[in-house]
Amino acid sequence: MQRIFYGGWSIMFVCAIIGFMLAVQFRQVRDSQATVPNQRLEEVSGRLIQVEEERDELAKRLEILQQETNSWMNQELISELKIQACVTPLEGEGIIVKMDDSTRAAKSGENPNLYLIHDDDLLRVINELRAAGAEAISINGQRLIATSEIRCAGPTLSVNNVRSSPPYEIHAVGDKKSLENAITMRGGVAETLKVWGIQLEVTASDNVYIPPYKGTSKRVYSKVVDEK
Amino acid sequence: MAKPLLGLIFGIIAGSFFPLDIMGAYTKLFSVVLLVALDSVFGGLRASVNKNFSDMVFISGFLTNALFAAFLVFVGDRLGIDLYYVALLVFGFRIFKNLAGLRRHFLKNF
C-alpha cells in the first residue's frame, strides 16, 4: 500500500486536543448527572435523621424534667393547672369534624383558592366550637392552647408551628349536641363552606380523645404585676 | 495511520485524569473549539491523502479558525445574538465535506 500520510505529527497533535476535550466533557457530564442530586439527597436526609434524633432526645429530657417538678409540689393544684395549661390528655363526649379540600374543579376564570381550605375557614369552625362551649380542641393532633396560631403555610396549615396538610380533623370535647348544632346550623359554617364544595363531616362521639400540648412555652416580655 | 489514533487515545487518557472543570459559561466555546479541531483533522487527513498537506497550513488554519470561532462566541454573547451557530454550521458542513473527499479518495484507490 502506498504511503498516504503526510504531516502525521501535527494531525496527531490536534487529535490529542480532541481526545482531551472529549474526555473532559464526558467526565463532566457524567459527574453532573450522577452525583449532584444524589449528594444533595444524602446531605438532606442525613440532616433529617440528625434533627429527628435531637428532637427525640429533647422530648425525653422534657419528660424527665416534668417528672422532677411533679414530685415536690402540691399534686392537686398541679394537676388542675396542668389541665388549664392544656398539657394533659383529655377524653370526654364531643364531636369530630373532618374537613377536606373541595373535590370540585374550579371553573375557568374562577379563583382555585376558593376551593381549598384556608386558615380562616378553620378559624371560623374553631370559633363556633368555642362559642358553643368546647372545653378542649385539637387540630390534627395539635392541642389548641391560648397562644396557638392557625395559619396557612403554603399549601399546608401550621398549628402550634407544626405543619399538617388536609384532611383536617378537629376534635372538640364539650356538649356534643350543642357542638354539632353550632357547626351544622342553618346559615352556619358548614353551609357556607358547602357552597365551595369543601367537604365537612361532623361525627358526635362519647369519647373524643384530645392530646396534650407538646410544645414549649416561652415568656420573655411579660412580667407578673399586681392588678391595677 | 496509527498516529492520529495514538494522539486521540493519549488525549482521552490525559483528559480523564486532568483535574479540569469547565464552567457553564464556557460550554459554547468548548463545543465550537471541539468542532474546529474535528474539522481541522478531517481537512488534514483529506489533504494528506491528496498529497498536498502542509504543516504550516494545517496548524495555522486550526489556530485561526479556533480563535475566530472563539471570537464569534464572545461577541455573540455580548450582543445577545447566538453568532456561534454560524461557526457550528460551517464547521459541521465542512467536516462532512472533508469526510466525503476522503471517502471518494479511498473508493478510487481500492
PDB file of all heavy atoms in Angstrom, chain B residues 7 9-11 20 33 40 48 50:
ATOM      1  N   GLY B   7      -2.747   9.733  19.083  1.00  0.00           N
ATOM      2  CA  GLY B   7      -2.974  11.052  19.674  1.00  0.00           C
ATOM      3  C   GLY B   7      -4.309  11.113  20.387  1.00  0.00           C
ATOM      4  O   GLY B   7      -4.420  11.635  21.501  1.00  0.00           O
ATOM      5  N   ILE B   9      -6.069   8.633  21.693  1.00  0.00           N
ATOM      6  CA  ILE B   9      -6.042   7.838  22.922  1.00  0.00           C
ATOM      7  C   ILE B   9      -5.275   8.575  24.011  1.00  0.00           C
ATOM      8  O   ILE B   9      -5.716   8.672  25.167  1.00  0.00           O
ATOM      9  CB  ILE B   9      -5.415   6.461  22.644  1.00  0.00           C
ATOM     10  CG1 ILE B   9      -6.372   5.632  21.780  1.00  0.00           C
ATOM     11  CG2 ILE B   9      -5.120   5.730  23.941  1.00  0.00           C
ATOM     12  CD1 ILE B   9      -5.733   4.449  21.129  1.00  0.00           C
ATOM     13  N   PHE B  10      -4.154   9.150  23.608  1.00  0.00           N
ATOM     14  CA  PHE B  10      -3.357   9.896  24.570  1.00  0.00           C
ATOM     15  C   PHE B  10      -4.173  11.053  25.176  1.00  0.00           C
ATOM     16  O   PHE B  10      -4.184  11.281  26.381  1.00  0.00           O
ATOM     17  CB  PHE B  10      -2.101  10.435  23.879  1.00  0.00           C
ATOM     18  CG  PHE B  10      -1.307  11.364  24.740  1.00  0.00           C
ATOM     19  CD1 PHE B  10      -0.517  10.863  25.784  1.00  0.00           C
ATOM     20  CD2 PHE B  10      -1.355  12.728  24.540  1.00  0.00           C
ATOM     21  CE1 PHE B  10       0.199  11.719  26.577  1.00  0.00           C
ATOM     22  CE2 PHE B  10      -0.638  13.588  25.346  1.00  0.00           C
ATOM     23  CZ  PHE B  10       0.147  13.077  26.369  1.00  0.00           C
ATOM     24  N   GLY B  11      -4.909  11.764  24.279  1.00  0.00           N
ATOM     25  CA  GLY B  11      -5.727  12.888  24.741  1.00  0.00           C
ATOM     26  C   GLY B  11      -6.819  12.442  25.686  1.00  0.00           C
ATOM     27  O   GLY B  11      -7.075  13.080  26.708  1.00  0.00           O
ATOM     28  N   LEU B  20      -9.669  19.246  35.431  1.00  0.00           N
ATOM     29  CA  LEU B  20     -10.145  20.488  34.815  1.00  0.00           C
ATOM     30  C   LEU B  20     -11.662  20.460  34.771  1.00  0.00           C
ATOM     31  O   LEU B  20     -12.256  19.481  34.347  1.00  0.00           O
ATOM     32  CB  LEU B  20      -9.583  20.602  33.391  1.00  0.00           C
ATOM     33  CG  LEU B  20     -10.059  21.808  32.594  1.00  0.00           C
ATOM     34  CD1 LEU B  20      -9.387  23.072  33.093  1.00  0.00           C
ATOM     35  CD2 LEU B  20      -9.759  21.609  31.130  1.00  0.00           C
ATOM     36  N   VAL B  33     -14.862  25.017  19.697  1.00  0.00           N
ATOM     37  CA  VAL B  33     -13.457  24.653  19.523  1.00  0.00           C
ATOM     38  C   VAL B  33     -13.325  23.168  19.182  1.00  0.00           C
ATOM     39  O   VAL B  33     -12.491  22.766  18.368  1.00  0.00           O
ATOM     40  CB  VAL B  33     -12.645  25.032  20.780  1.00  0.00           C
ATOM     41  CG1 VAL B  33     -11.220  24.524  20.665  1.00  0.00           C
ATOM     42  CG2 VAL B  33     -12.648  26.535  20.966  1.00  0.00           C
ATOM     43  N   SER B  40     -10.429  20.464  11.452  1.00  0.00           N
ATOM     44  CA  SER B  40      -9.027  20.519  11.055  1.00  0.00           C
ATOM     45  C   SER B  40      -8.474  19.138  10.788  1.00  0.00           C
ATOM     46  O   SER B  40      -7.754  18.910   9.817  1.00  0.00           O
ATOM     47  CB  SER B  40      -8.201  21.197  12.146  1.00  0.00           C
ATOM     48  OG  SER B  40      -8.585  22.528  12.266  1.00  0.00           O
ATOM     49  N   SER B  48      -3.738  15.185   3.260  1.00  0.00           N
ATOM     50  CA  SER B  48      -2.611  14.256   3.192  1.00  0.00           C
ATOM     51  C   SER B  48      -2.878  13.122   2.221  1.00  0.00           C
ATOM     52  O   SER B  48      -1.952  12.640   1.570  1.00  0.00           O
ATOM     53  CB  SER B  48      -2.258  13.746   4.584  1.00  0.00           C
ATOM     54  OG  SER B  48      -3.294  12.934   5.066  1.00  0.00           O
ATOM     55  N   ASN B  50      -4.542  13.541  -0.473  1.00  0.00           N
ATOM     56  CA  ASN B  50      -4.395  14.195  -1.770  1.00  0.00           C
ATOM     57  C   ASN B  50      -2.975  14.674  -2.023  1.00  0.00           C
ATOM     58  O   ASN B  50      -2.698  15.302  -3.040  1.00  0.00           O
ATOM     59  CB  ASN B  50      -5.355  15.385  -1.886  1.00  0.00           C
ATOM     60  CG  ASN B  50      -6.796  14.923  -2.015  1.00  0.00           C
ATOM     61  OD1 ASN B  50      -7.043  13.782  -2.409  1.00  0.00           O
ATOM     62  ND2 ASN B  50      -7.729  15.778  -1.657  1.00  0.00           N
TER      63      ASN B  50
END
